[in-house]
Amino acid sequence: MTQTLTPTQSSSAGAEPQKTPWWEFFTFSVDHKVIGIQYLVTSFMFYLIGGALASAVRVELATPDSDLVDPAFYNSLFTMHGTVMIFLWIVPAVTGGFGNYLVPLMIGARDMAFPRLNAIAFWLTIPAGLLLMGSFFVGPASTGWTAYPPLSILTDEHVGQAIWILSILLVGTSSILAAVNFIVTIWSMRMKGMDLFSMPLFCWAMMATSVLALLATPVLAGAMVLLGFDLLIGTNFFNPTGGGDPVVYQHLFWFYSHPAVYVMILPVFGIISEVIPPHSRKPIFGYKAIAYSSMMICALGLFVWAHHMFTSGTPDWLRVFFMVATLLVAVPTGIKVFSWVATLWGGKLRLDSPLLFAMGFISTFLIGGLSGVMLGSAPVDIHVHDTYFVVAHFHYVLFGGSVFGIYAGLYHWFPKMTGRMLNEFWGKIHFVLTFIGMHLTFGPMHILGLQGMPRRVAQYDPQFAPINMICTVGALILAFSTVPFVINAVYSWFKGEQAPDNPWNALTLEWTTSSPPIPHNWVGDPVLATGPYDYGEEYKEDRQEAIAAS
Amino acid sequence: MKVNNKLISIVVIIGLIIAASIWYGRNNGLLPVAAGDEATLYDGLFNTILAIAAGFFLIVEGVLLYSIIKFRKRKGDEADGPAIHENLTLEIAWTAIPTVIVMWVAIYSFDVYTAMQGTQDLSGMAHGGMHNAVAHVDHAAHHESGGMHSNSMTSKATLASSNNNGVMMAGVIPSEDSDVVAINVSAMQFAWVFNYSDEIATAELHVPVGKKIRLNMNAVDVLHAFWVPQLRIKQDVIPGRETYLEFTPRVVGEYPVVCAELCGSYHGGMRTTMVIDTPEDYAKWLKEQQEIASNDPEAIVASRPPSQMSEHEYLAGKVAQMGMTSKK
């Protein structure tokens, strides 16, 4: 970010905020802002469901015996937990929710490129979620969110497994539609004067995410269709008794599902890049490096899938290639982390909830990233593969990373979305509980895995009981930590303090319109007043002039 | 003078962080006892990478904590920070240093990986290369198509025993190398069966200390994974394919054999014990097993139905009570 844009007035100052009537959230609305909120609220509901399933799993694991639920149902619990959290919470929240709400606002567009396609993408996730939840009445899938054959073909829960496949196909389709929409929107609908390198970093992240989703998701769909054939009509793509190969499924599955991690985390990287500068009052450090690193993660992310298969009997040369590719992902990720830290350095940190969650994100994601490097090394991975070490690692990435990032984004953009401020005191309580709960739940799991506890077991060696008890207590704190947030969000949405158009004095384009924004976002044409991150004493005067001029 | 002080502080802090990281790498106590040669190699690599990770952890978390204390907004201070956009030298440094470190980790990992495979050639090594192509129904009839003779035998057995009732596979010891103790392993829901020869089939794995052990592994039904945490090695056991695992046990004792790949309802109960014996004890044990086998060949299998094979102190009653078939 070297160019400086001449500050001029923002064209929507003084526009009347738009209050969307509640029923519009239940319609086939084509407004990207309504769809964004639809995604966010729906996915948060699924987060609560997924969290309830996780709590049941942790309570079961409080003791070494399988005494709360029978082991078969236990398998269903963690299968559904994983599926719900990935496909119905994080992916829809970060791409569908934040992406839809923010991308058009950030690039000065009136809406997404294909508004109807956008609505269809959202409304596909509803039957997917309902089907998945409905499968509890017929016996839910119990073969893990990976659904490895032959187990998923020979499973007793045929109907549940078939529903699971259909549900994944629906959310996969939704994801592909959304990805096409984002790429076209970002590529062709940027306002006049905004080139690629003057758009906010969240848009870069969404671009990288969409490219990745578009390339990888169809492969998952293919794997699901073939698995469905094996399960329902007796083909033998993956069934070894008929000549099929279960390892081929693993290649297809991970070709999507490792990039899916980046689909979940890249938009969160974008959110963090948007939250840190206004709350620390400094320009983002290394704009171009962060933008390029998103694209680098996107490119490298497509060539790391086999690191999930170091123990599956993959050939050696393949393991070496994938080990090097996996370890290399640490470089662009490290660039981002260092850049965020450098942005904070020397700033005037306003330690409100958005920045607390953003800093919580950096500190916990760092641990997930470092354990990721350990797992990237093939020999290290072989010992801890399919153990609680891996469970700890991906929860540090996907909870400490994605969920903390989502919370940072929610606290940051809640005033824009609703026109009301969230209560800061309860925000801080929420942060502290989440932070403690998260480390207590997932931290000790590293030790469990290294010491020899495999994942996906309802019964375990009693020597692991004390550490498991700590994890369970942590999980209950984590479950409880959502209470202050839910109450705060619901109460503030209706009764919270009125939010000004730009409560954080932020410089990205969405803050130049009213809170909440009017239909089609701006009264006239939006005008770029400053670059997205032109904070700092040197720019302050220019900004004040711009405000005075408006 | 001021700059010098700053420089000295930075050097001292980085020195302390490096010292703390190295200390933690050597004294973390996170891994269980190393019972085999490969485990010792593994521990060296693990501790080194852990030390590097600890260093990065301390630096980044330290800066975050310092920022919270030092740079938080004071009351009444509405000023912005300095408008710093980039610093090319710094950015090159923090791109180059991690790149060099991860490449070094990759080379070190590859080195350890090769060493853990011992003298094996790259096509059939410790962590389970595969020789067999995907098994076809008629594969068993064509021994020549499967590479090693024993592979074909075991594939045949695997395919013949696609039910869950634990049909024994034919145990054949590949005898190209007399220094290697070869044991055939069959994995099924929810038990391990170890075949020492055509006669001996056991539920508990016994191996002599100091000898190279080779496990030729096959799955009867679904995916399983053979894991002994104290050996630091793991290999998926795949129906229709044969996978391998090689290791050299070093510390006499009893260790858990764990199934690490989700294999159905009672996956958590699929455990047994690996006993690393002294050569004398091993010979004695083998003799005992042979006697039992020669007295009543049927009894070997019959006396160890799957329901008892996974018997483990904490699961003893539980497993019997559950039965061994998955929930209908």
Side-chain angles (χ1 to χ4, degrees), chain A residues 148-320:
Chain A
Y148 278 3
L151 186 62
S152 54
I153 302 169
L154 306 173
T155 176
D156 296 323
E157 309 294 1
H158 252 69
V159 181
Q161 195 70 45
I163 292 176
W164 184 87
I165 290 171
L166 182 59
S167 175
I168 300 302
L169 279 172
L170 284 173
V171 289
T173 310
S174 160
S175 189
I176 293 169
L177 299 183
V180 170
N181 214 346
F182 281 122
I183 293 171
V184 177
T185 306
I186 295 171
W187 203 255
S188 65
M189 292 180 68
R190 269 171 288 123
M191 61 183 290
K192 220 176 148 199
M194 184 185 275
D195 61 19
L196 280 176
F197 286 100
S198 53
M199 72 179 182
L201 285 165
F202 180 76
C203 300
W204 272 101
M206 283 307 301
M207 177 86 106
T209 301
S210 305
V211 170
L212 210 47
L214 194 61
L215 291 174
T217 319
V219 179
L220 175 77
M224 287 300 128
V225 169
L226 298 185
L227 187 67
F229 283 173
D230 275 11
L231 179 75
L232 298 172
I233 57 175
T235 54
N236 287 304
F237 292 107
F238 308 127
N239 192 350
T241 49
D245 188 352
V247 178
V248 169
Y249 173 85
Q250 298 182 19
H251 280 291
L252 295 175
F253 179 83
W254 288 113
F255 185 83
Y256 164 77
S257 293
H258 195 84
V261 176
Y262 303 119
V263 169
M264 288 181 262
I265 201 76
L266 276 169
V268 174
F269 289 164
I271 290 173
I272 298 302
S273 301
E274 298 305 326
V275 169
I276 287 179
H279 292 274
S280 53
R281 310 308 303 168
K282 271 189 71 202
I284 191 89
F285 189 94
Y287 174 95
K288 278 194 175 163
I290 295 180
Y292 284 137
S293 67
S294 288
M295 298 317 284
M296 216 171 129
I297 290 173
C298 168
L300 280 171
L302 284 167
F303 298 99
V304 301
W305 78 87
H307 70 221
H308 294 270
M309 300 163 63
F310 283 152
T311 69
S312 299
T314 39
D316 274 351
W317 65 268
L318 203 64
R319 299 183 200 200
V320 172

Side-chain angles (χ1 to χ4, degrees), chain B residues 248-260:
Chain B
T248 309
R250 212 37 93 179
V251 182
V252 172
E254 290 190 9
Y255 307 99
V257 175
V258 181
C259 176

Side-chain angles (χ1 to χ4, degrees), chain A residues 504-520:
Chain A
W504 317 118
N505 286 321
L507 299 180
T508 36
L509 215 50
E510 75 273 21
W511 299 103
T512 63
T513 182
S514 59
S515 299
I518 55 172
H520 302 298

Side-chain angles (χ1 to χ4, degrees), chain A residues 4 9-10 19 64 88 127 154 163 265-266 279 294 359 377 381 385 416 423 456 478 539:
Chain A
T4 311
Q9 76 169 75
S10 139
K19 290 280 180 196
L88 293 167
L154 306 173
I163 292 176
I265 201 76
L266 276 169
H279 292 274
S294 288
M359 292 181 82
S377 160
D381 177 81
H385 176 74
K416 181 53 61 187
N423 181 291
R456 296 173 163 172
L478 206 49
Y539 290 114

